[in-house]
């Protein structure tokens, strides 16, 4: 019996994964480790050419990842990750920089933060030669015998026993299955960037501290500031294994505004021009200068804009198709705004669950269709949970953009700040 690089026997089942993001690569790595014949196709030509926030992996996501990759992979990931338990408690500030409150104590947390680039590069390494870059999939169909296959604009179709769409919010696979889009704009436009802690003024370094936090103001303006320091606050002190893109204390931030004609006009801007326009938009809403320093002193090359998309929060609306030999996972099914930090973790958990059910089918314990049905049932629950939490924050931000919400925000934040000062 032939074995793969992980030393496990081949199952005889062929799986094609469309999309090489976090979920698709996690699935590819897990299938390869379990002895499946797998191919992962992605349009990108470089896995390191990806943006977005840092990624938070909670205990459930870490447990799922351990099922998908060899132990050495996890050691390298932890050596390149920032431990939540070593951070100060998260904070909530108002637009003038006044402290409104703290998040829960993270001292016992198993969660870690890691660069999206670092995680994607490590997962791509675990997939190895089964990852095919520069191969955008144009569609999916069934052949004359009913076998699913993926289509390319410039190459012959590739058939498989199972096709899995892990191609994100604009998934061609999920659209094929659902007969239309599986998500819609959430109402917010996001802007992200990276700022070294050492580039901030001493006063702002003290105020922000080694923690993540959220700043909320009237008229739908919000700023998430995520702290990442895999060297100074590593989840695993193993310098010989470290490969993180972030090599010093860094704030990876995300600004949010309600989608509008004026906000949409910022999206085509790039680098310094986008950063300047973003600062202007915050100042128009009365934000104090110090709360904007993290944006003003960001690496201009890191600043980017993107739209938040969201699937339905009702689990029954997710994956609205009969189970079969074509399925999807992650944002292709339950597109989740980054406002709860659960999207990537949910995709990894999807991948681990699908690998487990496919292993049962490969062993003859169940049929392929029944395995996919059980996977999709679990995915609906996971996706619904992540979406419900993420959309709470989205709705809170959008509520401040109404006349009543703006007035309430402007009135209550000084009171909360005063109460916080009294408590301390």
């Amino acid at each position: 019996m032939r074995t793969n690089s992980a030393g496990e026997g081949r199952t005889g089942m062929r799986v094609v994964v469309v999309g090489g993001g976090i979920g698709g690569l996690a699935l590819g790595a897990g299938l390869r480790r379990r002895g499946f014949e797998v191919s992962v196709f992605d349009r990108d030509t470089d896995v390191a050419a990806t943006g977005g926030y840092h990624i938070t992996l909670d205990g459930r996501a870490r447990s799922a990842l351990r099922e998908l990759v060899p132990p050495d992979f996890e050691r390298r990931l932890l050596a390149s990750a920032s431990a939540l338990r070593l951070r100060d408690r998260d904070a909530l500030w108002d637009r003038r920089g006044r402290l409104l409150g703290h998040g829960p104590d993270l001292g016992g947390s198993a969660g870690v933060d890691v660069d999206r680039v670092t995680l994607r590069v490590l997962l791509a390494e675990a997939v190895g030669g089964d990852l095919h870059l520069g191969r955008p999939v144009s569609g999916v169909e069934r052949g004359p015998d009913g076998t699913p296959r993926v289509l390319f604009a410039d190459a012959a179709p590739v058939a498989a026993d199972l096709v899995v769409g892990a191609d994100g919010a604009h998934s061609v696979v999920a659209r094929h299955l659902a007969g239309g889009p599986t998500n819609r704009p959430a109402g917010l436009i996001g802007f992200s960037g990276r700022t070294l802690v050492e580039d901030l003024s001493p006063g702002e370094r003290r105020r922000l501290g080694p923690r993540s936090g959220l700043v909320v103001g009237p008229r739908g303006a919000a700023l998430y500031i995520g702290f990442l320091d895999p060297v100074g606050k590593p989840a695993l002190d193993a310098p010989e294994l470290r490969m993180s893109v972030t090599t010093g204390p860094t704030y990876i931030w995300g600004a949010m505004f309600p989608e509008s004609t004026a906000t949409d006009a910022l999206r085509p801007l790039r680098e310094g021009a986008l950063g300047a326009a973003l600062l202007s938009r915050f100042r128009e809403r009365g934000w104090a200068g110090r709360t904007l320093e993290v944006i003003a002193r960001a690496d201009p090359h890191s600043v980017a804009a993107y739209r938040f998309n969201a699937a339905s929060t009702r689990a029954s609306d997710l994956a609205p198709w009969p189970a079969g030999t074509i399925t999807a996972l992650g944002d292709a099914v339950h597109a989740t705004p980054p406002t709860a930090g659960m999207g990537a973790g949910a995709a990894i958990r999807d991948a681990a669950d699908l690998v487990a059910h496919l292993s049962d089918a490969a062993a003859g314990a169940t049929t392929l269709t029944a395995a996919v049905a059980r996977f999709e049932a679990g995915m609906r629950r996971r996706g619904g949970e992540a979406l419900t939490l993420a959309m709470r924050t989205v709705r809170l931000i959008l509520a401040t953009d109404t006349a009543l919400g703006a007035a309430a925000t402007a009135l209550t934040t000084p009171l909360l700040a005063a109460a916080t000062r009294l408590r301390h």
Side-chain angles (χ1 to χ4, degrees):
M1 181 168 57
R2 292 186 298 126
T3 61
N4 65 0
S5 60
E8 298 189 19
R10 290 287 186 182
T11 66
M13 184 184 296
R14 175 166 171 73
V15 182
V16 167
V17 182
V18 179
I22 301 303
L25 291 176
L27 177 61
L31 290 170
R32 190 170 193 254
R33 190 181 184 203
R34 292 287 187 96
F36 288 82
E37 184 181 353
V38 60
S39 296
V40 180
F41 295 100
D42 193 79
R43 66 175 62 249
D44 288 351
T45 56
D46 180 3
V47 292
T50 185
Y53 293 96
H54 66 284
I55 289 173
T56 299
L57 302 179
D58 63 13
R60 295 174 301 176
R62 285 187 55 193
S63 178
L65 200 56
R66 282 194 291 271
E67 297 296 317
L68 299 169
V69 297
D72 183 59
F73 171 96
E74 187 186 27
R75 292 187 67 235
R76 292 172 63 198
L77 178 67
L78 292 179
S80 304
S82 181
L84 269 60
R85 70 180 186 280
L86 299 178
R87 291 190 335 209
D88 290 354
R89 290 170 65 188
D90 291 351
L92 178 67
W93 296 282
D94 74 356
R95 58 180 169 160
R96 303 191 190 284
R98 295 173 295 199
L99 182 66
L100 304 180
H102 288 101
D105 183 1
L106 300 173
S109 173
V112 299
D113 284 337
V114 64
D115 268 306
R116 180 180 293 272
V117 175
T118 302
L119 180 57
R120 194 181 185 205
V121 169
L122 279 168
L123 285 171
E125 182 181 320
V127 178
D130 294 327
L131 172 61
H132 306 279
L133 297 173
R135 296 289 305 276
V137 170
S138 59
V140 60
E141 67 175 15
R142 295 190 183 278
D145 61 352
T147 300
R149 58 188 185 182
V150 296
L151 308 176
F152 304 90
D154 56 356
V158 174
D161 298 297
L162 178 70
V163 169
V164 184
D167 43 345
H170 305 291
S171 169
V172 297
V173 178
R175 179 181 285 267
H176 167 84
L177 288 167
T182 55
N183 57 77
R184 60 184 180 181
L188 292 178
I189 300 294
F191 305 85
S192 64
R194 300 170 62 94
T195 307
L196 296 177
V197 173
E198 66 183 22
D199 288 343
L200 297 175
S201 64
E204 192 62 358
R205 289 201 297 268
R206 285 193 299 272
R207 185 180 76 87
L208 294 180
R211 62 164 67 88
S212 296
L214 180 68
V215 192
V216 178
R219 299 175 59 196
L223 175 63
Y224 169 74
I225 303 171
F227 178 77
L228 184 64
D229 184 11
V231 176
K233 298 186 181 299
L236 176 66
D237 189 13
E240 72 279 6
L241 298 176
R242 195 165 292 143
M243 59 163 288
S244 178
V245 172
T246 302
T247 57
T250 303
Y251 293 116
I252 301 179
W253 51 264
M256 291 157 274
F257 286 105
E259 190 162 358
S260 67
T261 302
T263 305
D264 287 352
L266 304 185
R267 294 179 64 198
L269 301 178
R270 295 289 181 270
E271 300 185 355
L274 177 56
L278 188 57
L279 288 169
S280 177
R281 194 149 181 80
F282 273 112
R283 290 174 182 135
E284 291 170 359
R285 285 160 169 72
W287 283 51
R290 67 172 180 170
T291 61
L292 301 176
E293 188 178 314
V294 72
I295 299 177
R297 300 197 178 187
D299 173 3
H301 301 294
S302 71
V303 183
Y306 50 93
R307 171 183 278 124
F308 287 5
N309 288 285
S312 170
T313 57
R314 291 192 299 269
S316 58
D317 292 341
L318 303 177
W321 52 74
T325 54
I326 304 175
T327 189
L329 56 71
D331 274 353
V333 176
H334 46 81
T336 307
T339 46
M342 295 182 67
I348 291 171
R349 292 168 63 201
D350 285 349
D353 195 42
L354 181 54
V355 169
H357 286 299
L358 292 181
S359 296
D360 288 342
T366 187
T367 66
L368 177 57
T369 299
V372 170
R374 293 191 185 101
F375 155 71
E376 290 178 345
M379 177 174 59
R380 292 183 185 101
R381 292 191 295 271
R382 283 187 297 276
E385 173 194 1
L387 278 157
T388 296
L389 292 174
M391 290 305 295
R392 284 177 186 169
T393 304
V394 170
R395 293 185 182 112
L396 171 65
I397 295 169
L398 292 176
T400 69
D401 196 35
T402 64
L404 179 60
T409 305
L411 176 65
T412 58
T413 50
L415 297 176
L416 287 171
T420 300
R421 285 196 302 273
L422 288 173
R423 284 196 301 270
H424 291 276

